[in-house]
């Protein structure tokens, strides 16, 4: 990461000074009461688990780790599932898998919405358990992870695969667990293998990470693991722009997407007011050709706006005040590119929301925001 971005992050992003991480300023405090109770319950369940699948966001392989649980997870047989691999840069992903290998941690890049990807994950879990345990008749696998990394999608797909393998279990099968002082109980789970019987617990649980620093918090917010309202869409969008600028991403867009960025325009056959609320393809209804082209055009306009502002920038990217000036210019350019009428702060919020939606749905390309640590030599 560039020095200018580091300073900007430490400063707290754009004129917020030393106000701390959240939108209102002050200390990092967004751990609701029910989360604390859920964390206690998960710690108790972890004691029972024979194997743990820790789901992380492939775009932030370290920042999406639940730091509070790491000591407990390290004492268990476990696997890091790097979910949303379709949104992550595949070249850098190879470096990350190598990093985890060198750290003696099993990891698998995957897509929780893909049955074949989830099946591959379960095969690996089965292999690891059969290899390690031969005497236990019943084994429990637990899924943990910070919010919005895809635990529910993974659990749902595991349930469907389990139901096809063992249709007798119907909706739910109880895996009797015990005896263990204080936590002996029946826990609902899905049977995924026989001899030994392997069950995946059906409750992924809600876990909130402790945030070691502002930058980690901003990455989690950008990936959608923290509610936008906690940090503020404007601030998250500023951080995304700072990342793109310091990496020179708009220049990469220009090189790889030259023809579209030179100004090929698509004229819609009919004028349609499209919403960016949900760019993910719907299962029920396929997006129309005009909608696909509309989104492509919108992305091209956004990329062109960021490229032109960055290429005309005469300041010093390492200087935080220069970087702030550039980002302000880019907000204005984005407002025009996204065709948002001028309504003051409302317009700024709309620009931020639409820009973040394009990033989070992978329309701006695949990214990995975390840098691979240099502690492990990647040869």
């Amino acid at each position: 990461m560039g020095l200018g971005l580091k300073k900007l992050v430490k400063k707290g992003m754009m004129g917020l000074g030393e106000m701390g991480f959240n939108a209102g300023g002050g200390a990092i405090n967004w751990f609701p009461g029910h989360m604390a109770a859920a964390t206690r319950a998960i710690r108790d369940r972890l004691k029972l688990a024979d194997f743990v699948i820790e789901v992380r966001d492939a775009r932030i392989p370290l920042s999406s780790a639940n730091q509070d649980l790491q000591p407990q997870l390290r004492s268990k047989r476990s696997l890091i599932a790097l979910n949303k691999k379709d949104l992550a840069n595949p070249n850098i992903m190879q470096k990350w898998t190598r990093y985890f290998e060198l750290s003696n941690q099993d990891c698998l890049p995957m897509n929780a919405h893909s049955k074949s990807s989830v099946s591959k994950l379960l095969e690996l879990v089965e292999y690891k358990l059969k290899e390690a345990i031969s005497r236990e008749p019943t084994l429990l696998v637990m899924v943990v992870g910070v919010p919005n990394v895809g635990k529910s999608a993974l659990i749902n797909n595991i349930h469907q695969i389990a139901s096809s393998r063992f249709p007798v279990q119907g909706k739910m099968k109880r895996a009797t667990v015990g005896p263990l002082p204080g936590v002996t109980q029946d826990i609902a789970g899905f049977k995924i293998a026989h001899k030994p019987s392997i069950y995946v617990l059906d409750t992924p649980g809600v876990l909130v990470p402790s945030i070691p620093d502002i930058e980690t918090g901003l990455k989690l917010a950008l990936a959608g693991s923290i509610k936008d309202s906690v940090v503020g869409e404007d601030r998250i969008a500023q951080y995304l722009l700072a990342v793109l600028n310091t990496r020179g991403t708009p220049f990469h867009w220009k090189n790889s997407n030259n023809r579209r960025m030179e100004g090929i325009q698509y004229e819609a056959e009919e004028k349609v007011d499209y919403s960016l609320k949900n760019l993910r393809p719907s299962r029920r209804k396929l997006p129309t050709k005009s909608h696909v082209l509309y989104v492509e055009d919108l992305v091209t306009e956004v990329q062109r706006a960021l490229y032109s502002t960055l290429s005309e920038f005469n300041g010093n990217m390492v200087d935080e005040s220069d970087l702030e000036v550039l980002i302000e210019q880019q907000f204005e350019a984005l407002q025009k590119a996204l065709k948002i009428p001028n309504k003051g702060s409302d317009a700024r919020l709309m620009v931020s929301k639409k820009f973040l939606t394009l990033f989070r749905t992978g329309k701006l390309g695949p990214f990995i925001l975390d840098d691979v640590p240099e502690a492990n030599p990647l040869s």
Side-chain angles (χ1 to χ4, degrees), residues 311-372:
S311 57
E312 289 162 16
F313 173 64
N314 296 320
N316 182 356
M317 201 75 75
V318 175
D319 186 303
E320 62 183 86
S321 54
D322 281 7
L323 188 54
E324 282 188 27
V325 170
L326 170 63
I327 288 171
E328 286 308 303
Q329 290 170 351
Q330 287 176 326
F331 261 101
E332 287 176 27
L334 281 173
Q335 187 172 336
K336 286 176 191 163
L338 293 165
K339 301 177 178 62
I340 293 166
N342 189 7
K343 293 182 199 159
S345 61
D346 283 354
R348 184 137 175 141
L349 181 63
M350 284 302 297
V351 169
S352 301
K353 283 185 171 180
K354 290 197 173 192
F355 184 47
L356 291 174
T357 299
L358 289 175
F359 171 81
R360 287 168 178 165
T361 52
K363 304 298 176 192
L364 297 179
F367 286 89
I368 293 186
L369 299 168
D370 283 341
D371 297 324
V372 183

Side-chain angles (χ1 to χ4, degrees), residues 285-305:
K285 196 172 155 191
L286 287 170
T288 61
K289 184 184 172 189
S290 58
H291 183 234
V292 169
L293 286 165
Y294 163 80
V295 174
E296 271 182 26
D297 256 7
L298 199 64
V299 169
T300 304
E301 289 295 333
V302 165
Q303 290 178 335
R304 192 187 294 141

Side-chain angles (χ1 to χ4, degrees), residues 26 35 89 123-124 141 169 187 205 227 267 274 294 312 345:
M35 299 272 190
N89 185 319
E123 281 167 25
L124 188 54
V141 177
Q169 34 185 357
I187 296 178
K227 279 187 181 175
E267 292 298 329
Y274 290 109
Y294 163 80
E312 289 162 16
S345 61

Side-chain angles (χ1 to χ4, degrees), residues 122-236:
L122 292 180
E123 281 167 25
L124 188 54
V125 170
E126 268 182 76
Y127 170 73
K128 288 285 173 190
L129 279 173
K130 283 179 181 175
E131 179 190 54
I133 306 171
S134 53
R135 289 168 300 192
E136 289 287 333
T138 303
L139 300 167
L140 282 176
V141 177
M142 189 168 173
V143 178
V144 299
V146 302
N148 203 31
V149 286
K151 296 186 300 294
S152 297
L154 178 59
I155 290 285
N156 290 341
N157 250 328
I158 288 173
H159 184 197
Q160 286 178 27
I161 291 166
S163 301
S164 63
R165 286 184 190 175
F166 301 96
V168 189
Q169 34 185 357
K171 276 195 174 181
M172 201 173 282
K173 181 84 173 174
R174 293 267 168 189
T176 306
V177 183
L180 200 72
V183 286
T184 307
Q185 56 184 313
D186 281 3
I187 296 178
F190 310 122
K191 188 174 184 179
I192 59 159
H194 192 54
K195 288 187 180 174
S197 292
I198 301 174
Y199 289 87
V200 176
L201 302 191
D202 75 314
T203 346
V206 184
L207 292 171
V208 179
S210 60
I211 302 174
D213 56 59
I214 287 179
E215 193 193 344
T216 303
L218 286 167
K219 285 176 184 174
L220 284 162
L222 182 50
S225 286
I226 296 169
K227 279 187 181 175
D228 285 348
S229 56
V230 172
V231 185
E233 287 92 339
D234 184 344
R235 203 171 177 196
I236 305 167

